[in-house]
Amino acid sequence: MPTYGRKDVVFERGEGNYLYAVDGRRYLDFTSGIAVNALGHCHPHLVKALTEQGSKLWHTSNLFRVGNGEKLAKRLVENSFADTMFFCNSGAEAIEGGIKLIRKYQFMNGQPQRYKIIAFQAAFHGRLLNALAATGNEKYLEGFGPPAPGYRHAPLNNTNVVRDMVDDETAGILVEPIQGEGGIRATTTQFLKDLRAICDEFGLLLFYDEIHTGFGRTGKMWGYDWSGVKPDVAAIAKGMGGGFPIGAFMATEKAAVGMVPGTHGSTYGGNPLATGVANAVLDVLLEKGFIDGVRERGEYLKGKLEELCRKHPTVFVEQRGMGFLQGLQCAPSVPVGDMVNKLQSLGLLVPPAGENVVRVFPALIADKATLDEGIAILGQAAESFEAASRAAE
């Protein structure tokens, strides 16, 4: 079905930070499968885990214990706020599961009327019907009938509006530590502290969408690690499997009180193959110094992107984000789609985002030389737009 506006390029293989098209051209990949290919393409440790597990056991169903899944859950609990989790196949499923968990929590605590979720303008939580309603983007909702009820949308980083929205039917608050699709828009630490206080005051659950920000992409294991404000529930996916489809929603034991046998399920979720690969991703991420290195190189990248904004102020107007979850807001005279196409023609792959932002999402393995290569291409593109502007004067 023609639901994607795909670029006219076909890749036949990937290696590290690079993709190779069928015509032989090499591209530097700062898309990372939209923050999915955390360890680049065909990382040897992931390939080994996939092939070894693939030769032993792919799928058994959740009628039986899954050893790889139990190992993965234990490691994630040890390295997060969570006590328990449910494995699924995608971020949108993780969001839907988290919403169910929040509503069941309120039901179990004698508040069955509490079902509403406060979310935020310019958010993106996925394409399933409840996830779309939580996202609130009219363009994505059009034509699919009345939006699922129970979602209200506040401006990001505005505590007063959130507090005013809380009523007797409110169950929880859903927020991305950094909005990815919305244009690399970050929450402030104070705002997250305020949300935590509001949830504690009114008996709500705080739900983080860590699909973009998890697994080291911001320079810490989780996006919330920067603020120190822990949630009750979180949705994770993207970098979790390094490209193999897997997601989860995880929570404290208190929050997950209603998730008892029969309340949720998944045919494929957490099967031996998916959790085997996800364990291999964790092997690398949890190596001493790995995420510290991402944070250090993320600061380097941030400085280089800020420098681009100073050098080319008529093309790039603002750097956003941190770690390897960064972006450049283009000037109004430079449509982001045109910038993405120009960069592809120069050999650099990046995805667009809201607010005319180009996302800069290198793989977490990218070293400074690789980052410099990408920065140089961004500079070339800026010079090209500047030259075209001068010619048009």
Side-chain angles (χ1 to χ4, degrees):
M1 298 182 188
T3 59
Y4 298 107
R6 290 189 169 110
K7 304 293 183 186
D8 188 19
V9 59
V10 178
F11 301 110
E12 63 177 353
R13 67 185 181 92
E15 182 179 338
N17 297 292
Y18 299 94
L19 282 167
Y20 296 82
V22 291
D23 63 3
R25 186 171 185 195
R26 186 182 81 163
Y27 293 84
L28 177 59
D29 183 11
F30 276 15
T31 298
S32 294
I34 314 182
V36 167
N37 301 105
L39 302 180
H41 298 284
C42 294
H43 189 286
H45 188 63
L46 270 61
V47 172
K48 182 172 182 286
L50 178 64
T51 52
E52 287 184 356
Q53 185 62 47
S55 67
K56 292 192 295 185
L57 183 64
W58 291 21
H59 181 79
T60 58
S61 89
N62 285 302
L63 295 173
F64 309 99
R65 290 175 60 186
V66 179
N68 285 345
E70 291 177 6
K71 177 182 176 182
L72 178 61
K74 182 175 186 292
R75 297 171 82 189
L76 288 171
V77 164
E78 290 170 351
N79 289 280
S80 76
F81 76 95
D83 302 312
T84 185
M85 65 197 61
F86 180 98
F87 293 126
C88 53
N89 311 289
S90 68
E93 290 174 63
I95 291 291
E96 298 264 336
I99 291 167
K100 287 180 68 174
L101 180 148
I102 289 171
R103 291 176 174 177
K104 196 64 183 290
Y105 167 85
Q106 298 293 357
F107 176 86
M108 297 292 287
N109 282 279
Q111 302 281 349
Q113 80 282 3
R114 288 189 162 187
Y115 74 103
K116 292 179 182 176
I117 305 289
I118 297 172
F120 295 91
Q121 294 166 7
F124 183 81
H125 301 297
R127 300 280 193 158
L128 302 179
L129 288 173
N130 269 286
L132 275 178
T135 295
N137 187 318
E138 291 184 8
K139 180 179 71 173
Y140 297 151
L141 286 163
E142 183 181 7
F144 297 111
Y151 301 93
R152 303 188 70 186
H153 297 87
L156 198 67
N157 294 320
N158 190 320
T159 301
N160 291 336
V161 174
V162 175
R163 179 173 284 275
D164 289 345
M165 281 185 174
V166 176
D167 61 23
D168 291 342
E169 294 181 325
T170 306
I173 299 174
L174 169 59
V175 63
E176 299 160 277
I178 299 175
Q179 291 184 337
E181 296 278 346
I184 318 300
R185 302 169 74 235
T187 55
T188 65
T189 294
Q190 186 58 52
F191 183 62
L192 294 180
K193 288 180 178 178
D194 291 344
L195 295 185
R196 178 73 273 171
I198 290 169
C199 287
D200 293 343
E201 179 181 349
F202 292 102
L204 316 179
L205 294 186
L206 183 57
F207 183 10
Y208 285 169
D209 180 340
E210 288 264 9
I211 293 164
H212 256 95
T213 51
F215 295 93
R217 182 144 289 275
T218 67
K220 290 184 182 285
M221 185 64 179
W222 309 108
Y224 73 79
D225 285 331
W226 288 97
S227 68
V229 181
K230 295 180 180 179
D232 303 296
V233 193
I236 57 176
K238 286 196 180 287
M240 185 175 181
F244 199 98
I246 184 171
F249 58 99
M250 53 186 187
T252 63
E253 287 284 5
K254 178 183 175 183
V257 64
M259 303 309 287
V260 297
T263 55
H264 202 52
S266 171
T267 296
Y268 300 109
N271 71 27
L273 199 55
T275 51
V277 175
N279 270 308
V281 172
L282 276 189
D283 290 343
V284 178
L285 294 187
L286 297 178
E287 284 177 3
K288 186 176 180 180
F290 182 87
I291 292 179
D292 290 340
V294 175
R295 183 161 62 251
E296 176 194 339
R297 284 174 278 120
E299 282 297 311
Y300 177 81
L301 176 61
K302 181 178 179 180
K304 290 292 185 180
L305 294 176
E306 289 172 339
E307 189 178 317
L308 278 175
C309 293
R310 290 192 295 270
K311 282 185 177 178
H312 307 284
T314 62
V315 178
F316 298 127
V317 297
E318 184 183 30
Q319 175 278 337
R320 297 180 175 186
M322 60 179 66
F324 282 4
L325 185 77
Q326 298 199 43
L328 285 168
Q329 186 180 37
C330 298
S333 60
V334 182
V336 67
D338 292 351
M339 176 58 74
V340 168
N341 290 337
K342 171 57 70 174
L343 291 168
Q344 181 177 324
S345 74
L346 295 171
L348 177 66
L349 304 173
V350 295
E355 298 192 346
N356 214 37
V357 168
V358 167
R359 284 182 267 190
V360 181
F361 287 1
L364 306 189
I365 59 169
D367 58 16
K368 288 182 179 179
T370 304
L371 299 179
D372 285 342
E373 183 182 351
I375 292 294
I377 297 173
L378 284 162
Q380 279 182 264
E383 290 168 2
S384 174
F385 280 99
E386 288 167 342
S389 179
R390 287 192 300 270
E393 289 175 357

